[in-house]
Amino acid sequence: MTELPPLNSLRAFDAAGRRLSFRSAADELGVTQGAVAQHVRQLEAHLDLILFERVPKGLAFTSVGRSYHNRIEGIFADLRSATAELKPEPNKVVISVTPTFAAKWLIPNLPDFTVAHPDIDLRIMATERVSSFHSDGIDLAVRQGSPPFGASLDVTLLFRQSLIAVAAPQFGDMGDTPLEPDKLASMPKIHDTHDQWPSYLAHLGVQEQSPRHLRLSQTSLAVDAAIAGQGLALVSRFLVAHDLEAGRLVEVGAALDAGGSDFYVLMPRTAKNSETVINVVTWLKARSAEDN
């Protein structure tokens, strides 16, 4: 097994190589110029290679020194980055949400958040994967389901799951009144991964009669397809509040309150000590109350 060089020698070589100057490297590392030069000489002796040529204006790489530094510099950059991620940033909050929640509710409401909390760096992790508070470094998560979610978590209800059928205004002659159940059952549907149409139609007392269906992997895509006039989408009311208000969509079917599938914001109990995290939760609650 190859013996690794002393870490201090590698640090000195990394700094000297980036600056091509022992003096500048010494200023960066907080040591003397002589100490940097000695560490580099120790590294060269350890490797039995010449890494730098001493020139009048400082240093120049040898060919082997340049090749070695390219590798070492990347390693030290990774170490600095990994260490920086461990250090707490008092004004940073990372929130994990689904891509649909991010696109259809959180991002449209971000201007209000920025006005209310210009000092908070809110970072959005949009993923369908269930993120880990510990390993993914997240502070908050919005989840759909029903409690309990875990004894170590504080849980706050954001939205009840109220499903509505929506479509583009130009999709047929819809007017301002909901479609009759039989008419709704016969129209083209847009399905997402939740596939709530069968239970919704059963609630209305009708069976599916449409020969045409569009199936998409995300609810946000189903909403966009509905806006484009591809059929009827079944979505949570709060996710299309902006589209309904702007007239891009109209409500064409009665609402269905789907119990046990509501939206909650989750927070580790330990995060209660963070005023910044609490401010984000407070804003989420207040803003969601306006759309409920």
Side-chain angles (χ1 to χ4, degrees):
M1 180 180 295
T2 302
E3 182 182 353
L4 291 176
L7 179 59
N8 284 338
S9 294
L10 290 173
R11 289 184 65 215
F13 173 62
D14 169 55
R18 283 186 284 106
R19 298 173 178 274
L20 292 178
S21 165
F22 285 154
R23 182 182 298 277
S24 296
D27 291 340
E28 176 184 325
L29 298 176
V31 297
T32 66
Q33 180 178 342
V36 173
Q38 182 179 1
H39 282 310
V40 171
R41 283 195 296 270
Q42 289 175 344
L43 179 61
E44 289 177 324
H46 180 92
L47 298 172
D48 196 21
L49 294 168
I50 301 301
L51 303 173
F52 290 119
E53 294 177 358
R54 281 64 170 174
V55 296
K57 293 185 178 181
L59 301 172
F61 280 118
T62 63
S63 60
V64 69
R66 184 182 305 278
S67 176
Y68 190 47
H69 188 268
N70 286 340
R71 301 286 297 275
I72 296 300
E73 182 181 20
I75 292 170
F76 274 98
D78 286 344
L79 286 172
R80 284 189 290 269
S81 176
T83 303
E85 290 178 5
L86 293 176
K87 293 182 178 180
E89 298 177 59
N91 292 327
K92 181 190 78 171
V93 175
V94 181
I95 182 169
S96 172
V97 298
T98 65
T100 292
F101 190 91
K104 296 304 179 183
W105 190 83
L106 186 53
I107 290 174
N109 282 294
L110 280 183
D112 177 82
F113 177 82
T114 302
V115 170
H117 299 288
D119 57 326
I120 296 180
D121 178 13
L122 185 64
R123 303 184 185 182
I124 301 169
M125 181 185 293
T127 175
E128 297 287 0
R129 182 175 61 86
V130 177
S131 302
S132 165
F133 284 96
H134 177 68
S135 61
D136 293 324
I138 63 173
D139 303 293
L140 299 170
V142 175
R143 294 283 177 267
Q144 187 177 2
S146 58
F149 291 96
S152 63
L153 300 175
D154 265 3
V155 180
T156 302
L157 176 66
L158 289 182
F159 296 102
R160 296 289 185 190
Q161 171 76 308
S162 179
L163 292 171
I164 58 172
V166 295
Q170 69 272 23
F171 192 82
D173 183 17
M174 297 189 178
D176 296 325
T177 58
L179 298 175
E180 292 295 325
D182 287 338
K183 175 68 172 176
L184 190 148
S186 67
M187 303 193 77
K189 311 294 189 307
I190 304 168
H191 297 256
D192 59 17
T193 53
H194 300 290
D195 199 20
Q196 300 272 17
W197 274 114
S199 59
Y200 180 80
L201 294 174
H203 170 73
L204 297 180
V206 294
Q207 292 184 342
E208 178 63 68
Q209 301 172 26
S210 171
R212 183 165 70 87
H213 299 274
L214 177 62
R215 299 187 182 275
L216 300 167
S217 61
Q218 294 180 3
T219 304
S220 61
L221 298 178
V223 173
D224 291 342
I227 292 173
Q230 296 300 306
L232 279 58
L234 191 62
V235 296
S236 297
R237 183 187 298 276
F238 79 92
L239 290 174
V240 291
H242 290 276
D243 295 312
L244 291 170
E245 184 178 350
R248 291 185 289 269
L249 291 172
V250 292
E251 186 173 350
V252 297
L256 170 63
D257 292 330
S261 192
D262 301 322
F263 293 81
Y264 297 84
V265 59
L266 313 182
M267 174 183 71
R269 294 188 186 278
T270 54
K272 286 183 174 181
N273 298 324
S274 170
E275 181 180 356
T276 304
V277 173
I278 295 300
N279 284 340
V280 175
V281 173
T282 301
W283 176 83
L284 287 168
K285 290 167 59 178
R287 194 67 180 175
S288 66
E290 297 179 13
D291 289 336
N292 272 313

